[in-house]
């Protein structure tokens, strides 16, 4: 069924009787060409591109709970490609281009809104680093603009310019960045993959990987064994647990990132804003809520919740940056479990086990990567070679010293 | 205005009259009122508009669970959007306005949405607005955004202050209804350290809304007596107006006390609210229960509210929502409301009870086995249409309808650590599950114990269990009626029957969600937005879940559970931020000569939390560059003084101190002589440079280590890690002395002469006695103990001198006075930076966490003969490949060309793109010594490319120039000056 | 005798005193400090000179002992010695002479700013500043924690008298935090 | 969170700084034959367990002790807190 304004009107006039389930509820087949573990954004995007672009139809996504319940269902919805390093920027720019045509691609309105992002800077050193980054973006074909303090004030007059501990000196802007309706991204990919024949199997937990003679033959699940020629793991947050079933230790720790939303408010913020002198970034959703976040709690955890010190730290940052939000109320807080990698960058690669492929280590940047991650993982699964924009995301890069460390924080995941 | 709907009795102070305004009209109220009760007293039912369809809305409840009755409170910068009228304590002069309407509350243009509601069904926006692609941002989204949202921000900084505080207790009791009060009495009398918190300004919870007696007293009086007894106990702290908002790990609870919201204005220095972090050994949740509505057609009109809310308004606030009231119920509690209202003289149109065996009344009509089919009234309820068991219908004329669908225990805080409530068939509601936050127990209605006596009993027992008490206090006699709740969620056949009133989610939407495959509870919530409004679904989640279960043909527990996240009720962001905002966002660190520098007119710059003098403008200097160039020239020509107090200083002592430093530094320290200083390079274990600085050996077993300003804390932490975790038996002791010493760099050819004027004569600081890299303890100015280091960052003959911080100001003034004959200049961080770039010293821009010693031209410093931190991993193949980046100097071919830090380096020929990137510029300066802009950069194979011409491009700042690659040591490469 | 004039941590020539209601906050510059850390293997030995120095047994964890010269526990086998500045301007040297090679001694006099809070409502002020359990504040208690993200020692000298030691460079921020809390709690 | 410091008793976790897995105590010998391999494992690979996790915390705003804390990463329950120095010695580290 194709979605359109016409269809909405037609259904409205006929009592909405024609709407069909957005995805089937199939029983698992005994064997698939490809099984993707994880019905989050990345797993569903992988299924969409595998089936639509690479033509593989005998594909299943197995999800232990409900689809879209991973970090795609609990993030701050920001989409951008403002990266510095060669290993990252082409990938994220590829992703942003996929975002720009996502809705037409999947025939689902994910409300991709190119409202722009501004990263504020407060010191000369930060400015220099942003100039280097902005140049890297432009040299990679992305867009970037540098604003001085007056230009920032013209666009964001409500920021704290007059009573700031760390005065705003300017900002790096990417106009094509923005936000998207996170749940809809998962649903749109799921719907499209389903239409292309992919089996989306919910409430099916992977309990083991069947590996014989160094080759992965399929997955053991709560609904029995399902065979597969190739198994791709896309369970960021839980990568350690699933890959542990294959006996692998990863350069990854699991951490919680909290996110927050305020009560609905009439429009106040025109774009995504990140504070350069504290842990705070914010945008406003179409419903009017201020969606914001900050730093990870900082300790290893698989619990989808955090603690007060980070809540306070984030709100301190928010109030320091935009003191007008003091009387807006924080409505809800939640936590998502992140794969924090050893250099802050992801991994999309084969593993030492034949037929087992890994996608993870997204830190807290996974949402914006969803389309490219799916595309590149699909490419890897279909062709057994990395997509040209994802060649740096190797599992062995820490052994060889080819880290992709945007922050320069080194091998301590909670600093990335 | 008279208060037309005011009844007799109630917990209000009729002797005092308060004035308030709503939507510009003046009304009166009394202390003890909420804005909600005061509006009802003045016969105002219409208060707001719903989120999506802009339907007229009034009050649904009398408490913090309110989804509808939201206003913008106060005015100007104090405006507070989305404030629930039910929780606003009345004060004189209160101003409130309705929100989410235009142009007025009664005539809202956006109400047109309601007419097109069929097109705006759940999730309609996911299926359209996709063509053409660019129209989303330009057309559709702006319209949606303007229509959405609720209240509006003032756009001005919040003028109020917020505090944070910390309290510890044996037992935290949350809620002061019968369970909470009885628990507090039990624990308090036993001497336990108790905190008793309640969101209401009046303690007593539901007891203040009821007419039955407790012991020999009315419920209200009993509560007041209990509160009085507790107030007199030194071991019990009562916290009214305090909402416990979240249960965090290990018995920590967040609580927001509204210390000033009930005041017309705040006294100076007083906070509006305090965010308390309560550390509890045990916690007892006595949060009561919330009455749930029943869904029926047009059940959202102003005047339709929960029956218990009608009862609260009547009994506690002496207000009726209308002179004529009907009740729709599926349980006995609805009849209690009817009886109480009747007793207060309110006309009961009828009690509509879905049960065939409903109890009858002598005082008013009870319609057994009847249901509400529909309602009428554009801006407020006027008629209710009833379906009678015989199939006939009847219209009831009434201005208010109280709806009772049973009670849901307030399990919210039990879910905050992702515990799941469990379904209780007898109560037809969710009760707390097994996996509660550690240390928490639940009593009273929150635990499904619905009678008053049961609540008293369970509160006492829970407190006794938590504190290991063996005896329970005597409990007063009171109401102990059994509770039986037969589920009745919605009237069959209804469509536009609201489940989530604020977000406009109807029964029809829930069914459509199922039809489209959004069947898990989480999908239901996300697809329809059920429970995502500001009330977090307190009155709607379970009903929505129940309807989904019915459609799916499953039981409720099979369908799922619903859990709640913190905060319990929305909290101002300002309260979470507290005092650490504005200029106090981070602490400010000042050096001892800060005041002196300020007197000199210095311009300051943030360096981490420090404020440092950036340059010292002199009369006639209009451009910062003039001051900086002068400071550099004066220093290089004669002498300058720079405050370098901010550098980290770590005292390293012990018989193994040298051995310890030999491990944390990449270069050797074992053989450094006493009285000597050495430059040290510290690596992270991954081989990247962590920090650099110097270590001065003051004695065989005593070093003073300096770190960069930025890394002082992390280096100290890391050294403690190495000491305690890696080499626990080394005899080495560490302590930071950063703040203890004021330290000044005295640099320039005349620096020795200047210092000789203040260093006491018994100390010889001539080149022979005190050569380059010497260090020692000295005295100055007639006996003040000081430390002197002959080290140089500027490349000149230079010293660093340190004195106890309290004398820093005086020493700086003395240096300036004594230096007058040498034309001494103070210099700031800019001149410091210029001089270090001229000398090619790497700092933060180069030590960016991705550079190795090899990158920085210091590869040889990494000793291969010892096992120091980071040495092994610095050898990895990609870090030692031939084409890695190397630190170089850059000079524009045209000296006036500005060099841009962050610019990228490209070959002179060939394309300009990422694939041909050769490196980047890390630091730039104008060098007054060379009369040229210069820069440092990291360039592929840079050390082999000296003399090569390259393009420096910065498309971001629209710059392309040609530069020559040169040695990073622009000035005095042989280092003759610093050894002079 | 040298001729340099000292400034207080807040940058004044005289110590700052503020009173709000019944609580007084006073800057106390007349104090000398030295840290003592026992050498590896000499942890027990070091207690003897310590006892001699303060005329009392070495303090237990989170306690201070002594009278004119006191020692407070600052870490495992580490103590801070506090003495009147006028008689102990060179405290570290004096202490080192007593400890010999049993401990490392470091001058800390000017590394810290001391503020004394006095009055019968100091707990109402302290609970807005510091997350330590005030029920443990009895005379002789000494603990380090953070106040507005500033690492501080708190010494309870009496039920209505607490000394707060914060890093000297942050004295202004710490003082501001204390004064706003005093106004708020008043 | 509350960390029950072995010397000081219960303290708010906000006084502490987190480092990571307590295996960071087990630094390999940099002069050994297999040092490159051993350091890669040491510095980069983690067990990352869902359950009990031994980890290093530093009492930055307190007594500056490094602690080894045994904490469940699913529930955050802390079952043991030790001075890291004692743990390091017990694991054979010395000078």
């Amino acid at each position: 069924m194709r979605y359109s304004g016409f269809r909405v009107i037609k259904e409205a006039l006929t009592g909405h009787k024609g709407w069909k389930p957005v995805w089937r509820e199939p029983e698992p087949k005994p064997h698939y060409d490809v099984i993707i573990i994880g019905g989050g954004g990345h797993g569903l995007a992988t299924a969409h591109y595998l089936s639509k672009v690479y033509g593989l139809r005998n594909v299943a996504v197995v999800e232990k709970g409900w689809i879209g319940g991973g970090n795609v269902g609990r993030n701050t919805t920001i989409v951008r490609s403002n990266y510095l390093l060669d290993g990252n920027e082409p990938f994220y720019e590829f992703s942003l281009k996929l975002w720009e045509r996502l809705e037409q691609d999947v025939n689902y309105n994910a409300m991709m809104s190119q409202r722009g992002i501004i990263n504020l800077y407060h010191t000369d050193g930060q400015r220099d680093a942003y100039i280097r980054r902005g140049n890297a973006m432009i040299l990679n074909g992305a867009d970037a603009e540098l604003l001085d303090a007056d230009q920032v004030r013209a666009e964001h007059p409500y920021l704290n310019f007059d009573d700031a501990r760390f005065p705003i000196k300017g900002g790096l802007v990417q106009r094509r960045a923005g936000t998207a309706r996170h749940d809809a991204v998962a649903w749109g990919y799921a719907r499209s993959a389903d239409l292309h024949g992919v089996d989306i199997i919910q409430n099916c937990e992977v309990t083991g990987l069947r590996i014989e003679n160094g080759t992965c033959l399929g997955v053991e699940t709560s609904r029995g064994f399902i065979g597969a020629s190739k198994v791709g793991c896309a369970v960021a947050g839980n990568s350690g647990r699933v890959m542990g079933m294959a006996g692998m230790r990863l350069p990854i720790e699991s951490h919680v990132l909290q996110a927050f939303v305020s009560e609905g408010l009439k429009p106040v913020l025109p774009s995504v804003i990140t504070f350069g002198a504290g842990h705070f970034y914010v945008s406003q959703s179409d419903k009017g809520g201020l969606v914001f976040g900050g730093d990870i709690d900082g300790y290893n955890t698989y619990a989808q919740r955090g603690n007060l010190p980070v809540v306070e730290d984030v709100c301190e940052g928010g109030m320091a940056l935009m003191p007008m939000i003091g009387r807006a109320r924080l409505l809800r807080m939640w936590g998502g479990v992140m794969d924090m990698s050893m250099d802050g960058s992801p991994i999309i690669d084969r593993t030492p086990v034949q037929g087992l492929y890994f996608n993870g280590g997204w830190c807290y940047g996974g949402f914006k990567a969803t389309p490219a991650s799916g595309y590149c993982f699909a490419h890897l699964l279909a062709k057994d070679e990395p997509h040209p924009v994802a060649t740096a995301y190797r599992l062995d890069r820490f052994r060889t010293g080819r880290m992709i460390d945007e922050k320069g924080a080194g091998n301590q995941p909670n600093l990335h | 205005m008279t208060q037309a709907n005011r009844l007799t009795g109630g917990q209000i102070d009729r002797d005092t009259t308060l004035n308030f305004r709503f939507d510009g009209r003046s009304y009166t109220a009394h202390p003890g009122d909420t804005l909600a009760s005061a509006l009802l007293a003045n016969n105002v039912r219409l208060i707001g508009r719903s989120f999506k369809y802009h339907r007229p809305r009034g009050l649904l409840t009398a408490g913090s669970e309110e989804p509808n009755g939201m206003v913008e409170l106060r005015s100007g910068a104090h405006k507070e959007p989305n404030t629930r009228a039910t929780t606003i304590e009345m004060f004189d002069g209160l101003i409130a306005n309705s929100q989410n309407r235009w142009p007025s509350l009664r005539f809202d243009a956006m109400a047109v949405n309601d007419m097109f509601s069929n097109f705006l069904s759940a999730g309609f926006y996911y299926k359209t607005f996709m063509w053409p692609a660019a129209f989303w941002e330009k057309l559709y989204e702006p319209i949606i955004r303007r229509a959405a949202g609720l209240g509006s921000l003032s756009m001005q900084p919040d003028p109020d202050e917020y505090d944070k505080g910390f309290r510890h207790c044996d037992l935290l009791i949350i809620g002061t209804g019968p369970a909470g009060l009885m628990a507090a009495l039990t624990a308090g009398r036993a001497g336990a350290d108790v905190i008793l918190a309640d969101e209401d300004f009046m303690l007593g919870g539901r007891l203040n809304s009821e007419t039955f007696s407790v012991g020999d007293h009315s419920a209200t009086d009993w509560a007041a007596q209990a509160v009085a007894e507790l107030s007199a106990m030194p071991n019990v702290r009562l916290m009214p107006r305090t909402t416990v908002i979240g249960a965090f790990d290990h018995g920590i609870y967040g609580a927001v006390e509204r210390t000033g919201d009930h005041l017309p204005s705040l006294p100076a220095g007083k906070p509006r609210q305090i965010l308390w972090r309560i550390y509890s050994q045990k916690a007892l949740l006595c949060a009561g229960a919330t009455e749930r509505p029943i869904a029926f057609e047009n059940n959202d009109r102003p005047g339709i509210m929960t029956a218990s809310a009608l009862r609260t308004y009547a009994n506690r606030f002496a207000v009726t929502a209308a002179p004529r009231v009907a009740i729709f119920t599926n349980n006995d509690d609805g009849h209690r409301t009817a009886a109480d209202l009747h007793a207060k003289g309110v006309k009961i149109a009828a009690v509509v009870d879905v049960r065939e065996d409903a109890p009858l009344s002598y005082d008013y009509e009870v319609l057994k086995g009847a249901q509400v089919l529909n309602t009428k009234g554009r801006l407020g309820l006027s008629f209710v249409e009833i379906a009678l068991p015989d199939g006939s219908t009847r219209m009831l004329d009434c201005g208010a309808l109280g709806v009772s669908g049973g009670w849901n225990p307030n399990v919210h805080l039990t879910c905050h650590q992702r515990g799941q409530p469990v379904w209780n068939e007898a109560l037809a509601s969710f009760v707390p599950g097994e996996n509660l936050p550690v240390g928490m127990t639940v009593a009273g209605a929150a635990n499904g114990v619905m009678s008053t006596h049961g609540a008293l009993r369970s509160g006492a027992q829970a407190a006794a269990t938590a504190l290991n008490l063996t005896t329970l206090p005597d409990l007063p006699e009171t109401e102990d009626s059994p509770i039986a709740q037969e589920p009745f969620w919605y009237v069959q056949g209804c469509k536009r029957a609201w489940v989530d009133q604020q977000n406009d989610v109807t029964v029809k939407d829930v069914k459509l969600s199922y039809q489209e495959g959004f069947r898990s509870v989480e999908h239901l919530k996300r697809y329809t937005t059920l429970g995502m409004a500001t009330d977090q679904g307190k009155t709607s989640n379970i009903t929505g879940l129940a309807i989904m279960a019915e459609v799916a043909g499953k039981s409720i527990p099979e369908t799922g559970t619903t859990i709640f996240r913190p905060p319990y009720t929305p909290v101002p962001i300002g309260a979470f931020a507290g005092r650490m905002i504005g200029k106090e966002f981070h602490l400010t660190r000042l050096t001892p000569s800060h005041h002196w520098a300020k007197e000199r007119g210095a311009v300051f710059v943030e360096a981490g939390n420090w404020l440092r003098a950036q340059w010292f403008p002199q009369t006639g200097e209009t451009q910062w560059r003039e001051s900086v160039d002068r400071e550099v020239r004066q220093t290089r020509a004669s002498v300058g003084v720079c405050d370098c107090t901010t550098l980290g200083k770590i005292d390293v002592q012990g018989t193994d101190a040298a051995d310890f430093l030999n491990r944390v530094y990449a270069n050797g320290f074992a053989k450094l002589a006493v009285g000597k200083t050495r430059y040290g390079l510290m690596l992270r274990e991954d081989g990247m440079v962590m920090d650099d600085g110097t270590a001065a050996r003051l004695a065989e077993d005593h070093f003073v280590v300096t770190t960069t300003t930025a890394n002082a804390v992390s280096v100290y932490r890391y050294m403690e890690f190495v000491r305690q975790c890696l080499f626990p038996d080394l005899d080495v002791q560490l302590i930071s002395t950063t703040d203890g010493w004021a330290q000044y760099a005295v640099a320039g050819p005349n620096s020795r002469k200047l210092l000789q004027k203040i260093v006491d004569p018994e100390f010889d600081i001539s080149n022979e006695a005190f050569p380059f890299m010497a260090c020692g303890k000295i005295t100055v100015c007639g006996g003040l103990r000081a430390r002197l280091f002959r080290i140089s960052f500027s490349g000149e003959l230079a010293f660093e001198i340190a004195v106890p911080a309290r004398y820093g100001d005086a020493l700086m003034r003395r240096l300036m006075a004594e230096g007058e004959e040498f034309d001494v200049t103070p210099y700031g961080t800019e001149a410091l930076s210029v001089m270090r770039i001229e000398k090619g010293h790497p700092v933060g821009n180069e030590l960016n966490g991705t550079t190795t010693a090899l990158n920085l031209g210091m590869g040889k410093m990494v000793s291969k003969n010892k096992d120091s931190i980071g040495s092994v991993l610095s050898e990895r193949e990609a870090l030692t490949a031939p084409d890695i980046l190397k630190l170089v100097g850059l000079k524009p071919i045209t000296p006036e060309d500005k060099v841009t830090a962050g610019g990228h380096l490209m070959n002179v020929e060939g394309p300009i793109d990422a694939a041909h990137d050769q490196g980047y510029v890390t630091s730039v300066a104008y060098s007054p010594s060379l009369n040229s802009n210069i820069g440092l950069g990291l360039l592929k194979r840079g050390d082999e490319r000296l003399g090569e011409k390259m393009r420096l491009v910065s498309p971001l700042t629209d710059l392309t120039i040609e530069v020559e690659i040169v040695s990073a040591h622009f000035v005095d490469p042989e280092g003759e000056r610093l050894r002079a | 005798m040298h001729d340099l004039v000292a400034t207080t941590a807040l940058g004044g020539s005289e110590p700052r005193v503020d009173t709000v209601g019944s609580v007084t906050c006073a800057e106390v510059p007349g104090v000398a400090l030295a840290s003592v850390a026992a050498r590896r293997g000499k942890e027990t030995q070091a207690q003897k000179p310590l006892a001699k120095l303060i005329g009392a047994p070495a303090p237990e964890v989170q306690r201070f002992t002594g009278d004119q010269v006191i020692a407070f526990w600052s870490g495992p086998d580490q103590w801070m010695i506090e003495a009147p500045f006028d008689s102990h301007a060179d405290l570290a040297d004096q202490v080192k002479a007593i400890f010999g090679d049993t401990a490392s001694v470091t001058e800390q006099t000017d590394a810290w700013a001391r503020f004394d809070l006095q009055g019968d409502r100091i707990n109402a002020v302290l609970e807005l500043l510091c997350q330590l359990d005030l029920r443990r504040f009895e005379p002789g208690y000494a603990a380090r924690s953070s106040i507005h993200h500033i690492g501080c020692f708190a010494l309870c000298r009496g039920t209505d008298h607490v000394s707060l030691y914060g890093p000297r460079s942050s004295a202004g921020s710490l003082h501001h935090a204390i004064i706003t809390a005093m106004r708020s709690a008043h | 969170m509350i960390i029950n410091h072995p010397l000081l008793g219960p303290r708010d976790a906000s006084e502490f700084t987190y480092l990571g897995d307590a295996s960071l105590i087990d630094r390999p010998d940099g002069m050994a034959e297999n040092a490159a391999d051993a350091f890669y494992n040491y510095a980069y690979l983690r067990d990352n367990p869902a359950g009990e996790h031994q980890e290093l915390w530093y009492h930055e705003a307190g007594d500056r002790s490094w602690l080894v804390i045994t904490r469940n990463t699913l529930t955050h329950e802390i079952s043991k807190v030790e001075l890291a120095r004692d743990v390091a010695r017990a694991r054979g580290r010395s000078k």
Side-chain angles (χ1 to χ4, degrees), chain C residues 166-179:
Chain C
R168 183 182 179 103
S169 63
S170 311
S173 291
L174 178 58
H175 181 258
H176 181 268
I178 294 170
I179 299 302

Side-chain angles (χ1 to χ4, degrees), chain B residues 138-159:
Chain B
K138 291 201 179 89
L139 180 67
Y140 305 131
E141 190 181 38
I143 294 172
I144 291 175
R145 290 176 89 92
R146 270 198 297 275
L150 293 163
S152 54
L153 287 179
S154 72
M155 301 305 280
Q156 297 174 56
D158 186 346

Side-chain angles (χ1 to χ4, degrees), chain B residues 25 92 459 501 594 621 646 683 757 779 826 880 948 965 971:
Chain B
R25 292 189 65 178
D92 196 41
Q501 298 218 2
H594 182 83
E621 291 173 348
T646 62
L683 306 184
K757 292 178 75 179
T779 60
T880 52
E948 212 172 284
I965 305 304
V971 170

